[in-house]
């Protein structure tokens, strides 16, 4: 396939629009939300009005009729300025709405997608559990069908769930063990749990190192009853479903990581041009120039990597390995660029008033969320046929 990832005029127009929004609307306000650990409802509302939450979905469901490349472009531009708003969009689309679109019935799509696409509601993906982590097959949350009513009765807990406790959270799709396969292994299914369902409780927001203007919480399910029709996709196919969702989500996270990596370049170049030491701008020093060159190299290569994976997805080609490569490289590049940007800024890089301090705090989770770096290496090795 061609590796020409130059943008069409439509994609470039979208990119520029989101770039302007990020710099004109997000950048001036987000620092205050971040320091207060406050969810930026007004910014998210404007993102919804722009159609960002509906980018990759068909117009018949209230979407913009775009594609995954369009979503990635929006995520990258937002993350160049701030990762909290970027992860709110990423989780709302890739993890919240996409499972309903990929695996939902016609009725489920009609019920949920229009409000998810408009940003009126946010969706969340309840996968990770306190004792499972990367071993998602070890799910302990259970869902038992009440033969009398046909309802699912859910018990268990989830942790680190983004968008799960905001005032506009509409649903959480929950993975749960619904039986046993012939070989005795757990049969995992995915079930839609609307916000506010009795027995479904949401803990207070976590105190986090980064992403402080996004919503992340622990969830508990105590005899939560939902209709049998809330099963998402085929019973017992939940594990395969969320693996597909995570493969796609890694492209989105890679685009976000690329944005953070590029944002570190943007801020460091600006600082290197204006900060003087020993009578000249620090950018005149070769040591700083080399750091900036390496940072730009990492951001550029990350961009090529996630766009390659997105292009394969859109072409209907296998993309699992490319998504893992993109997620691994871009997340580690983001961490390195954030560290180098902080170093270039010196003492100011340790002050929260400077964006690079926020980027440094936000970068580390990119090597953990939606598959750790170790998991990505396992996936890549498996695709190479050596695992």
């Amino acid at each position: 396939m061609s590796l020409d990832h130059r943008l069409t005029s439509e994609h470039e127009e979208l990119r520029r629009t989101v770039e302007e929004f990020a710099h004109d609307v997000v950048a001036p306000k987000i620092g205050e939300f971040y320091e207060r650990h406050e969810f930026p409802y007004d910014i998210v509302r404007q993102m919804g009005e722009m159609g960002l939450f509906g980018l990759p979905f068909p117009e018949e469901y209230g979407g913009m009729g775009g594609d995954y490349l369009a979503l990635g472009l929006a995520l990258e531009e937002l993350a160049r300025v701030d990762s909290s708003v970027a992860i709110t969009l990423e989780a709302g689309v890739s993890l919240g709405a996409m499972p309903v679109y990929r695996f939902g019935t016609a009725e489920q799509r009609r019920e949920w997608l229009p409000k998810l696409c408009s940003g009126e509601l946010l969706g969340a993906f309840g996968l990770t559990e306190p004792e499972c982590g990367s071993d998602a097959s070890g799910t302990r949350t259970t869902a038992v069908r009440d033969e009398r009513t046909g309802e699912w009765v859910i018990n268990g807990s989830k942790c680190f769930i983004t968008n799960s406790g905001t005032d506009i959270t509409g649903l959480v799709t929950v993975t749960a063990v619904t039986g046993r396969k012939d070989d005795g292994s757990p049969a995992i299914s995915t079930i839609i749990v609307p916000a506010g369902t009795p027995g479904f409780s949401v803990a207070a927001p976590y105190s986090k190192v980064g992403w402080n203007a996004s919503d992340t919480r622990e969830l508990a399910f105590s005899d939560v009853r939902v209709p049998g029709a809330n099963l998402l996709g085929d019973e017992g196919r939940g594990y395969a479903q969320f693996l597909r969702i995570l493969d796609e989500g890694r492209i989105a996270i890679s685009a976000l990581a690329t944005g953070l990596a590029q944002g570190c370049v943007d801020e460091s170049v600006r600082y290197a041009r204006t900060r003087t030491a020993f009578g000249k701008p620090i950018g005149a020093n070769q040591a700083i120039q080399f750091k900036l060159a390496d940072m730009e190299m990492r951001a550029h290569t990350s961009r090529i990597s996630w766009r390659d994976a997105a292009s394969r997805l859109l072409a209907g080609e296998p993309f699992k390995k490319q998504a893992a490569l993109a997620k691994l490289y871009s997340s580690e590049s983001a961490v390195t660029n954030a560290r180098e940007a902080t170093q270039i800024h010196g003492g100011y890089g340790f002050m929260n008033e400077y964006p690079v301090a926020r980027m440094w705090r936000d970068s580390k989770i990119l090597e953990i969320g939606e598959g750790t770096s170790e998991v990505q290496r396992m996936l890549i090795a498996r695709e190479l046929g050596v695992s």
Side-chain angles (χ1 to χ4, degrees):
M1 66 172 291
S2 171
L3 294 180
D4 182 357
H5 300 310
R6 288 173 292 186
L7 301 180
T8 64
S9 58
E10 292 83 3
H11 281 126
E12 176 59 22
E13 182 179 359
L14 169 68
R15 190 201 66 76
R16 288 184 180 276
T17 298
V18 180
E19 179 184 31
E20 291 175 3
F21 174 78
H23 284 277
D24 296 345
V25 177
V26 179
K29 301 177 181 179
I30 197 61
E32 297 177 6
F33 286 102
Y34 196 93
E35 291 308 308
R36 294 196 302 263
H37 293 228
E38 182 179 337
F39 190 79
Y41 285 100
D42 186 56
I43 292 175
V44 172
R45 177 187 58 79
Q46 292 179 72
M47 290 162 60
E49 292 173 349
M50 293 171 64
L52 300 188
F53 287 96
L55 277 174
F57 302 112
E59 294 179 4
E60 65 178 298
Y61 298 118
M64 298 294 287
D67 52 32
Y68 226 86
L69 178 60
L71 173 63
L73 293 171
L75 290 170
E76 182 177 335
E77 292 303 326
L78 288 172
R80 285 178 71 171
V81 170
D82 178 72
S83 291
S84 290
V85 295
I87 194 58
T88 298
L89 176 62
E90 191 277 336
V93 175
S94 297
L95 302 181
M98 193 59 74
V100 178
Y101 174 64
R102 291 288 187 214
F103 309 114
T105 63
E107 291 76 14
Q108 289 169 339
R109 291 178 179 180
R110 285 195 297 266
E111 178 181 2
W112 292 109
L113 285 179
K115 291 184 178 181
L116 294 173
C117 287
S118 69
E120 180 181 347
L121 295 180
L122 291 176
F125 189 51
L127 171 63
T128 306
E129 298 190 1
E131 297 183 18
C132 293
S134 296
D135 181 17
S137 63
T139 297
R140 297 187 178 184
T141 296
T142 62
V144 179
R145 192 185 290 273
D146 185 327
E147 297 297 335
R148 181 177 58 85
T149 65
E151 296 174 313
W152 292 105
V153 183
I154 305 171
N155 286 279
S157 62
K158 301 291 179 177
C159 61
F160 313 137
I161 309 303
T162 305
N163 291 346
S164 58
T166 73
D167 293 344
I168 56 174
T169 297
L171 77 152
V172 178
T173 55
V174 178
T175 54
V177 177
T178 54
R180 293 285 166 180
K181 299 179 180 179
D182 293 340
D183 61 3
S185 62
I188 298 175
S189 303
T190 308
I191 300 171
I192 296 174
V193 180
T197 301
F200 172 29
S201 59
V202 181
Y206 287 105
S207 175
K208 297 175 293 187
V209 171
W211 286 359
N212 286 332
S214 72
D215 180 80
T216 318
R217 308 193 188 218
E218 186 172 359
L219 312 178
F221 305 88
S222 179
D223 290 332
V224 173
R225 287 179 171 268
V226 298
N230 281 28
L231 178 70
L232 188 63
D234 297 328
E235 184 174 348
R237 292 287 298 167
Y239 188 72
Q241 291 171 12
F242 70 66
L243 288 180
R244 166 68 188 217
I245 292 299
L246 289 178
D247 283 340
E248 294 183 7
R250 285 166 185 146
I251 300 175
I253 286 292
S254 180
L256 190 158
T258 299
L260 190 152
Q262 189 65 59
C264 290
V265 178
D266 299 341
E267 294 296 329
S268 297
V269 168
R270 187 177 299 114
Y271 188 80
R273 286 172 175 169
T274 57
R275 172 66 169 170
T276 60
F278 304 104
K280 60 182 179 180
I282 64 171
N285 297 311
Q286 194 175 68
I288 300 297
Q289 294 170 4
F290 281 9
K291 282 183 182 293
L292 292 172
D294 286 345
M295 290 167 67
E296 177 70 7
M297 173 188 67
R298 285 186 284 267
H300 178 75
T301 306
S302 296
R303 182 172 302 110
I304 292 174
S305 187
W306 82 255
R307 289 188 185 181
D308 175 46
S311 296
R312 293 172 187 271
L313 167 62
L314 298 181
E317 299 175 358
F319 67 94
K320 180 186 289 287
K321 181 177 73 173
Q322 286 74 21
L325 287 166
K327 201 274 184 181
L328 175 62
Y329 183 82
S330 60
S331 62
E332 295 191 347
S333 293
V335 170
T336 301
N337 275 18
R339 185 181 66 246
E340 294 286 51
T342 303
Q343 191 71 20
I344 289 171
H345 280 69
Y348 290 108
F350 205 62
M351 300 296 110
N352 284 327
E353 65 186 276
Y354 281 78
V356 294
R358 193 165 67 242
M359 293 171 177
W360 183 66
R361 292 162 67 178
D362 289 341
S363 64
K364 181 57 190 176
I365 187 60
L366 297 171
E367 294 182 317
I368 299 171
E370 295 199 35
T372 64
S373 293
E374 291 77 13
V375 166
Q376 304 314 308
R377 288 182 166 89
M378 288 168 53
L379 292 173
I380 294 165
R382 187 175 302 156
E383 289 295 308
L384 292 174
V386 294
S387 174

